[in-house]
Amino acid sequence: MGSSVNFLAAASACLAVSARAAAQDAPTAVERHAGQCRVPGLASLPRDTAAVRCAEWFVARNGYTDAPPADTTELAGELFDSYRSGGWARTLAGRRGTMAPRAVVLCRDAPAKPVAYDVVFTYPGAPDTAKYGRGIAMDANFGQMRVRHVPFLLRKARTRPGFPWCTVLRAAGRPG
């Protein structure tokens, strides 16, 4: 019980510090719109394909793959980023190489819900038997994209044929 109380106190203190820092350094218009997909030709694509393309674009554009982002002027800030205290260079160094460039699972939800799609990626070099991946969540308009900081259990999508809301796109570790 004591450790959970300590954890809650520490989490509350952290949130208070984060709120003060956010008030002092409010996100710019660029940061607020950085989670909106801007893939050319998006309207002509089937919705599931568009969601996957948007997530792959987001992952590459925000420095999560092994390749450096081509444009660092419109990066999306994430909950656990240290960019407020260490600058974008530190944030990008922490992100680099944490997600493979190609999605492996697409999960859908009702469009009226805040998260309509979760597009899941493995970690770079993950074997075909990888247990976990990380997701990019987005709304039905391919906006409000953000990294899910909770591991996605890939086995759920792989071992349940017809799993109603998830589709395996490609095996982990294999090019698609």
Side-chain angles (χ1 to χ4, degrees):
M1 168 98 174
S3 63
S4 63
V5 171
N6 290 340
F7 173 77
L8 291 174
S12 295
C14 183
L15 288 173
V17 169
S18 295
R20 281 195 303 275
Q24 292 170 354
D25 191 12
T28 65
V30 167
E31 287 172 316
R32 282 193 300 271
H33 298 292
Q36 181 64 46
C37 183
R38 292 191 298 272
V39 170
L42 196 62
S44 66
L45 297 174
R47 293 194 60 76
D48 287 358
T49 301
V52 171
R53 292 241 180 106
C54 285
E56 290 175 348
W57 168 84
F58 181 86
V59 166
R61 185 176 161 279
N62 285 285
Y64 291 98
T65 67
D66 287 334
D71 178 8
T72 59
T73 61
E74 293 189 32
L75 297 170
E78 294 290 334
L79 177 63
F80 296 110
D81 282 341
S82 58
Y83 75 99
R84 296 275 183 236
S85 62
W88 280 110
R90 180 175 171 193
T91 295
L92 287 172
R95 287 179 179 183
R96 187 149 188 196
T98 59
M99 296 174 89
R102 302 291 305 270
V104 295
V105 173
L106 169 68
C107 297
R108 306 164 215 61
D109 207 337
K113 294 201 175 185
V115 174
Y117 294 99
D118 275 303
V119 182
V120 183
F121 297 77
T122 58
Y123 302 97
D128 290 350
T129 57
K131 289 184 179 183
Y132 299 102
R134 288 175 74 191
I136 300 296
M138 69 186 79
D139 64 21
N141 296 315
F142 314 113
Q144 298 181 2
M145 286 189 283
R146 64 197 175 283
V147 174
R148 293 268 196 187
H149 293 283
V150 177
F152 179 89
L153 186 59
L154 294 169
R155 180 179 42 140
K156 283 175 106 175
R158 283 196 198 115
T159 59
R160 291 184 174 171
F163 198 50
W165 52 87
C166 292
T167 303
V168 175
L169 302 170
R170 62 186 59 83
R174 290 190 186 156

